[in-house]
Amino acid sequence: MTFDLLIKNGTVLDGASNQAYKADIGINGNLIRVVGNLRGASAGQIIDASGLFVAPGFIDIQNHSDSYLTLLEIPSMESLVTQGITTILVGHCGTSLAPLSTPEALKSIQKWRSLAGANVNWQTFEEYLGTLKNYPLGVNVTSLVGHATVRRGLLSDQIRAATPEEILIIEKQIADSFEAGAKGVSLGLVYAHEANSSEEELLSVAKMVASNEKMLSVHLRSEGGHVVEALEEVIGLAEKSGCDLKISHFKIRGSQNYGYLDEALSVIDRAYQRGVSVFFDVYPYTTSWTVLYTYLPKWAYEGGKKSILQNIKEPSSRKKIIDHLSRQETNLGSVFIATSETNPGLTGRTLSQIAANQEVTAQEALLNVLEATATHAIVFDRNLSESVMLALLKHPLGVIGTDGAGYDFSFSPTHGLVHPRCFGTMPRFLSLIREKNLMSWPEAIKKITSRPAEKMKLKNRGRLAAGLVADVVVFDPHTVGSRATYENPYQQADGISYVVINGKISFAVREPAQRVTAGQLLLN
Ligand SMILES: [Zn+2]
């Protein structure tokens, strides 16, 4: 037998079986032809995987490359390929790059990136995908449609519930996006432009998701003191509509709230037992990467950027905000400015340092940073618990998502200090499997391959079997891990030996210059 590519002598974790087994993999074109004993076969290219694990390409079901604009700027997405990711789902947290019924719609990404330099010349979801198809994509890409993007195209800067007529237009735009290939809808209920959506509006969206057999991916209204109510809200939407529900980047913020873990998980478990199709993604880090204005009380930011700045300026509302911050956040001073595009000099400084410099409290410093950056600041906050994180990684309804974006290996002031999860989520997860014995290797691999593939309805990816598309990762279980840090995230992961995407070797650790961009836009 002759193959284009032969991966031989490896230990296969195929994404379906509960056992690892020795097998060779024969690939022709973009398809896996054989998984079995291929001794004596010849091939154009041979990978010797002796001593290594061979797994399906990792699937990132929670990726932000579109809203950070790097999907357009750095479509090769090296930080994802080199950690073994072969397919991503973008369009999360209420925001996608289409449909753009008016130029206003794109402003839903402004909390993460300024629009300067956004090279956008499409309106509909179909036109967006048509453009993206011609990009040299490093990984396979598929997208949700963002609810905030749709409603902002319609309501512009108005912060209010949509009228029944507007709800019909929102439904039509979502239906057209589904028709073009969108995998579902995302909500970002914590953010200013969605916080005022009525239950009727959200339920209409959830029902559309259900009737089209798509996915609803939700950034919860609260990840802190009101996390249980926030879960009950979206599980209610899923239960009433019958839609598939994914909780995005599930976590519990703030040490005073860690105790809600058991109650939060029991709300999810009980819903699952009642037949609600609910699951969540989680990243293996205890530092969150957060839009700074979401630290304010909801009333202070739900009017959008202008009203945030007004509320900060006006003495009585300023005092109320500071009282709120003093009550909520135990360790505000350690919050670290990761990116401030409008004021790059703040990057890398903590609120304590800024406060000391300005001779004010950390709460005052936070408000000063929001003013100095016109509200566009993103921060790192060590506000998550290791034991909560481990419990979520282990939970049967949990899969792993980066909640990060694709970058290359060069620092730029525009991108600032990005979260290390953009470079190391999957290797770090695998290193935790090795070091903490969290679960078996086959179970861990399912959480980053076949489970997300099933949820995204990717029928021919996420497993290693004859006839499926050849997205394959070869890695060393003894050394796999992340080197990316908060101070220097731009570092390649350890232990990822080869990444094959659509049958082509996209990354080989010994020949880093040989990289090709073999990703495709996935429409179905
Ligand atoms: Zn989010």
Side-chain angles (χ1 to χ4, degrees):
M1 271 187 288
T2 303
F3 299 97
D4 295 334
L5 174 60
L6 176 61
I7 303 172
K8 60 179 198 182
N9 305 326
T11 298
V12 171
L13 297 157
D14 64 17
S17 166
N18 291 325
Q19 303 293 327
Y21 53 90
K22 294 273 182 195
D24 309 313
I25 295 179
I27 294 165
N28 271 330
N30 67 340
L31 295 180
I32 297 171
R33 291 299 178 189
V34 181
V35 179
N37 185 340
L38 291 172
R39 195 168 304 157
S42 59
Q45 282 179 298
I46 293 177
I47 291 174
D48 183 359
S50 300
L52 303 174
F53 280 177
V54 182
F58 305 152
I59 296 178
D60 183 11
I61 199 167
Q62 172 74 29
N63 190 283
H64 265 292
S65 294
D66 56 341
S67 35
Y68 284 95
L69 288 179
T70 62
L71 179 62
L72 308 180
E73 294 169 339
I74 314 171
S76 50
M77 298 179 270
E78 280 92 336
S79 73
L80 304 179
V81 177
T82 55
Q83 57 175 304
I85 292 170
T86 56
T87 298
I88 61 174
L89 178 65
V90 297
H92 290 284
C93 302
T95 298
S96 54
L97 293 183
L100 307 174
S101 60
T102 66
E104 278 289 311
L106 196 59
K107 289 190 180 167
S108 66
I109 70 168
Q110 274 186 135
K111 51 190 166 287
W112 296 293
R113 267 300 297 277
S114 84
L115 298 182
N119 186 11
V120 166
N121 60 358
W122 55 79
Q123 289 188 337
T124 66
F125 210 86
E126 190 178 9
E127 289 164 355
Y128 164 51
L129 296 184
T131 306
L132 208 53
K133 204 156 52 182
N134 298 319
Y135 273 65
L137 300 171
V139 298
N140 302 311
V141 176
T142 183
S143 182
L144 304 167
V145 53
H147 177 239
T149 301
V150 173
R151 84 193 303 272
R152 195 139 183 195
L154 204 59
L155 300 181
S156 187
D157 243 354
Q158 302 170 62
I159 308 282
R160 61 170 172 80
T163 64
E165 294 75 31
E166 286 164 342
I167 290 176
L168 290 177
I169 299 173
I170 291 170
E171 287 182 352
K172 170 80 169 80
Q173 287 193 25
I174 290 174
D176 290 347
S177 303
F178 284 168
E179 181 79 7
K183 289 280 174 190
V185 178
S186 72
L187 305 178
L189 297 177
V190 74
Y191 294 117
H193 287 266
E194 274 184 284
N196 284 288
S197 307
S198 64
E199 197 199 339
E200 184 195 0
E201 177 182 349
L202 297 178
L203 192 56
S204 85
V205 171
K207 282 179 176 165
M208 292 206 57
V209 171
S211 62
N212 289 277
E213 296 180 5
K214 305 276 182 178
M215 180 201 302
L216 187 69
S217 173
V218 183
H219 182 140
L220 295 174
R221 206 176 283 277
S222 168
E223 296 179 328
H226 298 284
V227 64
V228 172
E229 296 97 300
L231 281 168
E232 282 166 343
E233 176 189 15
V234 295
I235 285 170
L237 288 176
E239 196 151 25
K240 285 178 203 156
S241 66
C243 74
D244 271 0
L245 171 67
K246 177 171 86 64
I247 314 291
S248 291
H249 45 65
F250 189 38
K251 61 173 99 59
I252 296 181
R253 289 174 195 247
S255 53
Q256 70 276 33
N257 301 317
Y258 297 160
Y260 291 122
L261 176 70
D262 288 348
E263 199 181 345
L265 284 179
S266 98
V267 167
I268 293 174
D269 288 336
R270 278 184 280 131
Y272 184 78
Q273 283 153 16
R274 290 198 302 276
V276 179
S277 173
V278 56
F279 72 111
F280 58 84
D281 63 84
V282 53
Y283 52 73
Y285 294 88
T286 53
T287 292
S288 61
W289 194 25
T290 305
V291 175
L292 185 60
Y293 80 63
T294 61
Y295 283 70
L296 303 182
K298 204 143 280 180
W299 58 262
Y301 72 74
E302 64 187 0
K305 176 168 140 181
K306 273 188 217 138
S307 83
I308 293 172
L309 293 172
Q310 259 165 24
N311 285 324
I312 291 175
K313 214 171 225 143
E314 205 274 308
S316 73
S317 51
R318 185 180 181 95
K319 184 174 179 309
K320 271 199 264 172
I321 294 172
I322 286 177
D323 288 348
H324 170 93
L325 291 173
S326 310
R327 281 196 307 273
Q328 298 291 312
E329 298 296 332
T330 47
N331 199 11
L332 209 54
S334 68
V335 168
F336 178 101
I337 314 294
T339 312
S340 53
E341 251 187 285
T342 45
N343 198 336
L346 294 171
T347 297
R349 302 173 67 192
T350 63
L351 286 181
S352 284
Q353 290 167 335
I354 295 167
N357 203 274
Q358 299 177 342
E359 300 185 345
V360 297
T361 64
Q363 289 80 10
E364 291 272 359
L366 187 153
L367 300 188
N368 294 346
V369 169
L370 283 173
E371 280 189 306
T373 59
T375 76
H376 299 304
I378 302 175
V379 298
F380 292 141
D381 191 346
R382 294 184 178 89
N383 58 352
L384 309 178
S385 135
E386 163 119 356
S387 66
V388 171
M389 175 194 87
L390 294 175
L392 296 179
L393 293 174
K394 270 164 70 169
H395 193 280
L397 295 176
V399 299
I400 315 308
T402 67
D403 196 38
Y407 293 89
D408 56 21
F409 289 94
S410 54
F411 173 86
S412 88
T414 311
H415 300 137
L417 292 171
V418 307
H419 196 290
R421 69 195 191 219
C422 300
F423 288 80
T425 294
M426 301 301 178
R428 180 168 155 75
F429 171 63
L430 296 174
S431 71
L432 290 169
I433 302 305
R434 177 183 62 234
E435 286 158 15
K436 300 196 182 281
N437 209 9
L438 288 183
M439 64 194 86
S440 71
W441 283 104
E443 176 64 14
I445 291 299
K446 286 180 193 179
K447 281 177 177 277
I448 53 180
T449 60
S450 53
R451 298 246 170 84
E454 277 161 29
K455 296 296 184 181
M456 289 159 64
K457 304 199 166 61
L458 299 174
K459 293 190 184 65
N460 54 1
R461 296 177 198 267
R463 288 177 293 124
L464 296 178
L468 301 191
V469 177
D471 290 344
V472 187
V473 178
V474 179
F475 69 96
D476 184 343
H478 303 290
T479 60
V480 68
S482 173
R483 280 188 287 137
T485 62
Y486 295 93
E487 295 75 18
N488 181 11
Y490 294 84
Q491 300 196 69
Q492 193 176 303
D494 285 325
I496 303 289
S497 307
Y498 294 90
V499 181
V500 175
I501 303 182
N502 296 312
K504 297 199 175 63
I505 298 177
S506 289
F507 172 72
V509 75
R510 292 202 190 85
E511 296 146 80
Q514 302 291 313
R515 299 201 47 244
V516 295
T517 50
Q520 289 172 0
L521 191 67
L522 305 182
L523 292 176
N524 291 304

